[in-house]
Amino acid sequence: MVAFLVRRIFQMFVVTIVAALLSYGLLYLVPGGPVDALLAERQNSGQDRINQADIQRVQQRFDLDVYLPFRFTRWLIGWPSGPLFGSVGADWAIGCQTPGQVRLVYPDGTFELVEEGCADYLTLAELEGRRVSRGVFFGDFGVSQVILRDRPVSDLIATRLPYTLSLMGASILLAILIGVPIGIYSAVKQYSRFDYTMTTIAFIGSSLPSFVFGIFAILIFSVLAQRAGLPFLPPGDAVGVRDYTIPWIGTVQAGSFLDRFLRFLMPVSVLTFINIAGWSRFVRGSMLEVLQQDYVRTARAKGVREQVVITKHALRNSLIPFVTLLAGVLAALFGGALITESVFNWPGLGRLFIDALGRNDYNVVMALLFINVVLLLIGILITDILYTIVDPRIRLG
Amino acid sequence: MSIAFRRAVIVTLLAVLVPILAACGGAAQTEVVRETVVVVQTAEPVRETVVVEQTVVAEPEPSAPVTGGAFTTPHPILSDINVRQAIAYCTNRPELIASVYPFLDEEQQAGLLMDTFIPKSHWAVNNDVTTYPFDPEQGQALLDEAGWTGSPTRSNADGDLLALSFTTTNAQFRQTWSAVFIQQMAACGIQVIPTYAPGSWWFGSSTGLSRRDFELGAFAWVGQTDPAGRTLYACNQIPTPENNWEGQNYMGWCNERASQAIVAANNTLDRDERIRQYAIVQEEFANDMVSLPVFNRLEAEAASNRIQGYIADPTEYYTANIQEWTLTDGDTVVLGFTQEPATLWSLIESAAVQRTAAFLLSYPFATEYSYDYQAKGQTELSTIESGLATNEDIEVTAGDIIWNIDGEAVELAPGVTVVDANGETITYESGTVTLKQLVATYNFVEGQVWEDGEPLKQADFELAYSINCDPDSGAVSFATCNSIAEIDFSSDTSYTVTYLPGVQWPTYFLAPIGAYPSHQEVSDGRLLADVPASEWSSLPEIVEQPLSNGPFILESWEKGQSMTFRANPNFFLGEPEIKTVVVKFIADTNQAVAQLLTGEVDVLGSETLGAGPEVETVLQAGAAGDIQAFTIASSTWEHIDFNLNIR
């Protein structure tokens, strides 16, 4: 077991680095970015025309003038931040501040200017004094570059984390509490009216995207309900900013428990419904497979009561594959629901991630991706260990 | 197993596999007759290293494009003015507008039509230009005249089809009106082949539009209070490989009269003269039909019926007059922002949400309603006509610091290009040269105070100048700072700026430097005036809780959710009637509209409401009287550029 854990932790370390490297590289390969956004401002620009010095300032702020491998290590471990050991390699080029230009002169006399090479290299000495985090490996995610400019990413995450944990925690818990029994009952009562109903609902839940559910829920339970003079739910947010009156309930004070609860209902219901749809089908399939096993037939043949057959012989074995699904729960708890949070304006990490992607806040995006990778790997490790508990036949080693 | 044996096995396998793989490629090829071809353009070019200017994006000398270079071959179809005008006549623009804004009535749709590159309500518009109303007969006659005949697709005497590629983004909005445009062209016998490219390619810094990789290209420009336009329409602003694709005259339009006029319009401070020069450019622009203005985009804003005094305007943010708003019921207003401001420090952030929030915390020196300027915090605009500014001739000689044509402060030396006092672009060689020198005095309304009751004073303006012009502040552009030769802070309500010789900012009458509360003590006990500029972008007293001199005070900021502002009792124009303003951050437009309709939000600006299908919902609610809905002809206008050259 110890050897297994040591090996797995080493593997996790390697996978984390590779995942971080790939996501970091891909993020910067995406077309667009702060310099393109700045260049777009040059359209018809007058007084504040952007020049090369302005571009360089933006590149410095985002570390875009540092070659990608060094940019990555600066993000990962906060290195390099200047000459090595104080003076070694002060003139080593680790980036390019101004791209070189080459004039290609064709035999017919025409020519064109193309960017090639570098006209002004960035040296280690020039990095000295430039702001750099201690590195994500040491728990420093740096500062937000756009969303809350120049303030720590960890502060930004801390403000959103409670909302995501509450939303995702409640929906996952509810989905397990409701989805697993539904799946089991559907399997036990295969082809019954209940099974058909649940199968239909599960297909709808799995097929329709969450934003469709979200928009319909808002339309029905908020907008139309309010217009019809019926009790309604607030369309979004985690907390209200002013009091409101709901028919039959009365005035709801902004920020009160009732206000928060009412706003919590719709997003958590949508997420729960979607999770139930997927998980109940999974449990049903798994349970059906187990119910057809010889040992279940043997138990029944021995005259064991059906309830005991289901709960003792079939249920435990059918839940083994279900444990694998839970590997992603930890990451999902943290990652939030990207679309649902946006649709309901829920101030969680999912919405933050989408916002950060759209606004080129690289440090925020990478922090969230990195934490997700680590949590997913921890989730997989826990799943592997859980496997040995739920299935005694499995030995780690 | 020996290495030699392994190699033998690999070679054998390759010998077997390669022919098999080759055979999988398709049928056997017919024997090819090989001829030697002399390829001129692809011969290895001579490489010359170019010295890159360290501080300035190279701008070509004002001259016609390089003769014989790339993009100097006239486009076989679009270089013919008859064809371009025919396309304009064959385009039924009201129908294009109706395709994307079917919910507008005819009058509203007509309000979006444009005939030049300047919006109809702009001070520089020339309404006396050639127009191209929908007239397919006229269009077809022009095509016949140009030698394009036949149907369904016209062709010329050589049998070439009248077919053009049409490139734009894959945004649904553009695909919708483009589809109608393609049908309209087909009706005139012009085949249009669309390419709906990703915006990242079409607007990429080294792809699509910037490389003039199109025949007909559709996109939008954003109109401004000051029309500028030199980079769009001057002859020396045509992007080519020779000038490293500098400039935004993607059409390749070089009309000497228009080019001189657009340069002149941007080198004079006399509004009447500017109007005259812009009129020339618009006249030539319409005559040559090098770019077909399609329509102004529609913007919509919405406000609760409780709010009175709300102004929806294409060039000013709706909060610019928030201190004048009144409520028929209650004392709280909730504004919906599509995005959270990154910071409340206006120097380092220019997003619309930041500007909209900033109006709550500061009283503007001037506003920009209806494509013009109005003094607010300034006693009046510091124009030459008002006597607050002068623009005198001054002689400069080698060694003097001047403002060159690239927009940077340089020492005058042989080779430096400047615009002289006559508006001529000249390259300095020796001796003296006469330039214009602008001196403006900015006077501010007396009585302005910070929220703590401390009046604005000279030290506050001095602090703003030193911080805003500090390279460590985090600001992107320092053009204004660099253009200042001297600044004289003469009193608590006035300062005078002497600009470098050659500086001719069209908006010189607006005060370039604001004020910061120099007396404010920050959390560690230092005075704000003692905090270095490099720390300001992360200083909570600046970016999260700035001292207000505007109508409201920031009370709290729940990150990711909302900001709450209270009325400023010390606001120098009197405490606003609205006591609380809450700004909510709602990224999703559907959610924002739902909150508007359920009364959770009172105001949605155009940046939040967007231009999607939600607009129709809001307009319907406005028509039903549930809310106030405003439609605005946006300053953003769609157009189709004709690329006059091929590479």
Side-chain angles (χ1 to χ4, degrees):
Chain A
M1 185 72 168
V2 173
F4 168 79
L5 283 177
V6 169
R7 195 171 69 240
R8 284 303 300 268
I9 287 169
F10 175 73
Q11 286 172 348
M12 282 168 59
F13 179 78
V14 174
V15 170
T16 305
I17 299 289
V18 172
L21 180 64
L22 289 177
S23 46
Y24 195 86
L26 285 173
L27 193 61
Y28 282 93
L29 282 177
V30 172
V35 174
D36 271 11
L38 187 68
L39 289 171
E41 287 178 17
R42 289 175 65 190
Q43 71 155 8
N44 202 16
S45 48
Q47 191 153 336
D48 289 331
R49 216 172 131 246
I50 301 301
N51 61 29
Q52 186 63 35
D54 302 335
I55 292 170
Q56 279 184 11
R57 268 191 292 275
V58 171
Q59 284 182 323
Q60 276 180 23
R61 185 155 78 82
F62 288 85
D63 252 6
L64 294 174
D65 53 352
V66 180
Y67 291 141
L68 192 61
F70 295 107
R71 206 185 309 158
F72 178 69
T73 56
R74 276 167 66 80
W75 170 79
L76 192 71
I77 54 173
W79 178 91
S81 57
L84 312 180
F85 311 112
S87 60
V88 178
D91 56 349
W92 290 356
I94 52 113
C96 180
Q97 299 188 87
T98 312
Q101 283 185 359
V102 172
R103 180 183 287 119
L104 301 179
V105 183
Y106 292 95
D108 65 353
T110 62
F111 62 89
E112 73 175 291
L113 283 172
V114 292
E115 284 189 357
E116 194 175 291
C118 184
D120 181 18
Y121 286 101
L122 177 74
T123 62
L124 275 180
E126 285 167 311
L127 267 190
E128 203 158 22
R130 189 185 285 195
R131 186 168 54 198
V132 62
S133 73
R134 283 181 287 113
V136 293
F137 250 77
F138 305 106
D140 184 354
F141 292 106
V143 294
S144 163
Q145 292 153 311
V146 181
I147 293 177
L148 277 185
R149 184 171 162 173
D150 289 347
R151 278 150 290 165
V153 171
S154 49
D155 286 3
L156 198 54
I157 292 176
T159 58
R160 314 291 172 96
L161 189 58
Y163 294 101
T164 285
L165 286 180
S166 57
L167 180 67
M168 297 307 293
S171 64
I172 290 170
L173 186 68
L174 282 171
I176 291 173
L177 289 177
I178 301 170
V180 171
I182 287 176
I184 293 166
Y185 194 74
S186 288
V188 173
K189 302 286 181 189
Q190 194 184 10
Y191 304 136
S192 66
R193 194 169 292 169
F194 178 86
D195 184 31
Y196 281 127
T197 308
M198 283 304 147
T199 302
T200 307
I201 292 173
F203 273 128
I204 293 169
S206 314
S207 313
L208 283 179
S210 59
F211 71 86
V212 173
F213 278 119
I215 290 171
F216 272 115
I218 290 168
L219 187 66
I220 295 165
F221 299 113
S222 282
V223 180
L224 294 180
Q226 191 195 28
R227 287 188 173 181
L230 297 169
F232 63 93
L233 291 170
D237 299 336
V239 58
V241 294
R242 65 177 168 206
D243 302 347
Y244 51 100
T245 305
I246 296 180
W248 308 350
I249 294 177
T251 301
V252 179
Q253 212 170 8
S256 64
F257 174 78
L258 181 61
D259 174 42
R260 289 170 187 269
F261 176 73
L262 291 174
R263 289 171 191 279
F264 189 63
L265 271 180
M266 266 203 291
V268 88
S269 303
V270 167
L271 281 175
T272 304
F273 181 66
I274 290 166
N275 282 337
I276 287 174
W279 290 3
S280 65
R281 295 298 299 165
F282 190 89
V283 171
R284 179 183 178 275
S286 175
M287 189 73 178
L288 278 175
E289 198 180 319
V290 171
L291 286 174
Q292 286 159 12
Q293 297 292 317
D294 289 344
Y295 61 83
V296 173
R297 195 178 302 121
T298 307
R300 283 176 175 151
K302 281 164 64 182
V304 178
R305 276 195 303 128
E306 185 62 14
Q307 195 180 348
V308 177
V309 172
I310 300 296
T311 54
K312 195 171 177 184
H313 296 270
L315 180 58
R316 187 173 171 188
N317 288 306
S318 73
L319 288 181
I320 294 172
F322 184 69
V323 169
T324 55
L325 278 188
L326 299 179
V329 164
L330 203 57
L333 266 177
F334 178 85
L338 305 186
I339 306 299
T340 310
E341 285 187 1
S342 296
V343 169
F344 288 102
N345 207 39
W346 189 258
L349 292 170
R351 205 181 100 194
L352 176 66
F353 183 70
I354 290 200
D355 198 16
L357 270 179
R359 293 165 75 181
N360 296 314
D361 203 331
Y362 298 119
N363 283 349
V364 174
V365 173
M366 279 310 300
L368 293 173
L369 281 175
F370 187 80
I371 294 170
N372 255 298
V373 166
V374 171
L375 288 178
L376 186 64
L377 291 172
I378 292 173
I380 291 170
L381 180 67
I382 293 172
T383 306
D384 285 349
I385 295 167
L386 273 179
Y387 247 67
T388 62
I389 297 168
V390 295
D391 189 350
R393 292 170 301 178
I394 295 171
R395 293 278 184 275
L396 299 178
Chain B
M1 201 185 293
S2 70
I3 292 172
F5 179 73
R6 285 183 191 171
R7 282 180 182 163
V9 170
I10 292 168
V11 168
T12 310
L13 277 172
L14 284 175
V16 173
L17 285 173
V18 169
I20 293 171
L21 290 172
C24 292
Q29 297 291 307
T30 52
E31 196 176 345
V32 177
V33 177
R34 292 178 182 275
E35 293 178 350
T36 304
V37 178
V38 179
V39 183
V40 178
Q41 285 297 328
T42 55
E44 187 61 28
V46 177
R47 284 168 184 272
E48 295 173 359
T49 304
V50 177
V51 178
V52 180
E53 290 290 331
Q54 291 301 307
T55 55
V56 176
V57 173
E59 181 169 322
E61 297 297 314
S63 63
V66 179
T67 310
F71 284 110
T72 52
T73 308
H75 189 284
I77 300 173
L78 292 174
S79 59
D80 187 340
I81 190 171
N82 284 338
V83 175
R84 300 197 301 269
Q85 290 182 337
I87 290 174
Y89 280 120
C90 289
T91 305
N92 184 351
R93 290 177 293 159
E95 194 178 40
L96 300 185
I97 295 170
S99 72
V100 285
Y101 304 123
F103 45 84
L104 296 183
D105 59 41
E106 278 187 16
E107 192 184 337
Q108 287 172 317
Q109 289 176 355
L112 300 177
L113 264 178
M114 285 182 84
D115 291 314
T116 81
F117 59 88
I118 291 184
K120 281 178 182 169
S121 58
H122 200 286
W123 55 265
V125 73
N126 178 3
N127 289 315
D128 189 21
V129 296
T130 308
T131 56
Y132 298 87
F134 178 53
D135 187 349
E137 286 78 23
Q138 172 79 0
Q140 295 190 41
L142 283 166
L143 290 174
D144 289 339
E145 194 181 319
W148 298 98
T149 53
S151 68
T153 302
R154 291 166 178 268
S155 56
N156 62 11
D158 297 333
D160 301 325
L161 284 177
L162 182 52
L164 293 162
S165 70
F166 173 88
T167 312
T168 188
T169 63
N170 53 13
Q172 188 57 50
F173 169 79
R174 288 214 172 92
Q175 293 197 37
T176 302
W177 71 255
S178 298
V180 180
F181 171 72
I182 291 165
Q183 286 170 4
Q184 292 171 357
M185 292 302 105
C188 276
I190 304 169
Q191 186 184 27
V192 172
I193 303 153
T195 300
Y196 300 115
S200 57
W201 179 86
W202 183 226
F203 300 121
S205 56
S206 58
T207 52
L209 194 58
S210 66
R211 292 291 187 264
R212 299 177 63 194
D213 192 0
F214 67 96
E215 289 185 321
L216 300 177
F219 60 104
W221 284 128
V222 182
Q224 296 165 338
T225 305
D226 182 85
R230 189 181 62 87
T231 62
L232 274 58
Y233 306 120
C235 282
N236 67 344
Q237 297 295 322
I238 299 171
T240 62
E242 289 88 355
N243 68 5
N244 200 21
W245 306 100
E246 282 299 316
Q248 294 172 302
N249 185 341
Y250 302 122
M251 307 157 289
W253 180 46
C254 185
N255 175 316
E256 282 300 337
R257 184 168 176 251
S259 184
Q260 285 172 11
I262 197 75
V263 171
N266 284 277
N267 278 322
T268 178
L269 305 180
D270 180 347
R271 165 125 352 156
D272 291 338
E273 177 60 16
R274 299 191 77 199
I275 290 171
R276 271 193 297 277
Q277 297 296 346
Y278 277 120
I280 294 170
V281 186
Q282 290 169 80
E283 188 185 315
E284 295 298 326
F285 180 84
N287 285 343
D288 287 357
M289 186 34 68
V290 287
S291 173
L292 175 64
V294 185
F295 55 83
N296 282 108
R297 280 196 204 160
L298 176 82
E299 280 181 1
E301 296 185 2
S304 157
N305 285 331
R306 296 189 304 124
I307 298 174
Q308 294 180 330
Y310 184 96
I311 299 176
D313 190 88
T315 49
E316 188 53 280
Y317 299 103
Y318 63 83
T319 47
N321 75 329
I322 194 166
Q323 73 279 357
E324 294 165 8
W325 292 6
T326 55
L327 296 178
T328 55
D329 175 29
D331 61 1
T332 301
V333 162
V334 183
L335 316 178
F337 280 18
T338 188
Q339 188 177 83
E340 188 169 13
T343 171
L344 285 174
W345 192 21
S346 299
L347 182 73
I348 59 171
E349 174 70 8
S350 58
V353 288
Q354 198 282 338
R355 293 287 183 269
T356 311
F359 274 115
L360 300 171
L361 298 172
S362 60
Y363 189 63
F365 290 155
T367 50
E368 281 187 49
Y369 285 110
S370 306
Y371 295 102
D372 214 340
Y373 302 95
Q374 305 84 30
K376 290 288 175 185
Q378 284 180 241
T379 52
E380 60 185 311
L381 298 179
S382 302
T383 57
I384 294 168
E385 295 78 14
S386 73
L388 289 172
T390 58
N391 195 30
E392 304 294 336
D393 290 356
I394 180 173
E395 293 210 329
V396 292
T397 185
D400 290 339
I401 303 296
I402 55 91
W403 195 247
N404 72 3
I405 194 167
D406 291 328
E408 60 167 351
V410 295
E411 201 171 278
L412 188 61
V416 171
T417 306
V418 294
V419 176
D420 71 9
N422 298 320
E424 305 281 334
T425 303
I426 57 163
T427 301
Y428 178 75
E429 288 171 2
S430 62
T432 59
V433 59
T434 306
L435 301 181
K436 289 281 187 190
Q437 184 161 41
L438 186 59
V439 179
T441 297
Y442 305 97
N443 295 325
F444 303 100
V445 176
E446 290 191 4
Q448 297 193 56
V449 293
W450 298 103
E451 65 178 72
D452 57 6
E454 183 79 10
L456 261 73
K457 53 186 178 298
Q458 186 177 325
D460 299 344
F461 293 110
E462 288 174 351
L463 177 61
Y465 179 55
S466 72
I467 293 296
N468 289 7
C469 294
D470 190 318
D472 292 331
S473 64
V476 170
S477 175
F478 292 91
T480 303
C481 291
N482 294 339
S483 71
I484 294 174
E486 190 187 348
I487 185 163
D488 176 25
F489 296 98
S490 49
S491 74
D492 288 342
T493 55
S494 177
Y495 62 76
T496 300
V497 176
T498 304
Y499 292 96
L500 286 171
V503 170
Q504 295 288 281
W505 296 135
T507 54
Y508 68 96
F509 42 78
L510 303 175
I513 304 291
Y516 296 129
S518 56
H519 67 281
Q520 188 181 8
E521 195 174 293
V522 297
S523 57
D524 60 9
R526 288 180 295 174
L527 283 178
L528 194 58
D530 298 329
V531 180
S534 58
E535 293 179 30
W536 278 49
S537 67
S538 55
L539 197 67
E541 287 83 354
I542 290 296
V543 298
E544 289 189 11
Q545 194 70 44
L547 216 57
S548 168
N549 69 338
F552 293 89
I553 296 167
L554 181 60
E555 185 180 74
S556 64
W557 184 348
E558 292 292 323
K559 298 291 184 311
Q561 297 188 65
S562 64
M563 297 163 117
T564 303
F565 299 83
R566 299 278 177 228
N568 180 1
N570 288 325
F571 182 51
F572 82 110
L573 292 177
E575 186 176 336
E577 190 175 311
I578 296 172
K579 298 304 170 205
T580 307
V581 174
V582 180
V583 171
K584 285 171 76 169
F585 314 128
I586 313 166
D588 186 79
T589 310
N590 280 308
Q591 171 66 222
V593 171
Q595 294 209 14
L596 177 76
L597 298 180
T598 54
E600 292 247 310
V601 159
D602 294 313
V603 176
L604 293 181
S606 56
E607 80 288 343
T608 307
L609 205 45
E614 299 84 2
V615 168
E616 188 176 358
T617 309
V618 168
L619 294 184
Q620 283 170 352
D626 298 336
I627 53 166
Q628 302 177 72
F630 306 91
T631 55
I632 311 163
S634 161
S635 56
T636 306
W637 54 285
E638 296 284 322
H639 60 280
I640 301 168
D641 272 10
F642 303 124
N643 196 340
L644 304 181
N645 308 104
I646 56 172
R647 188 167 187 175

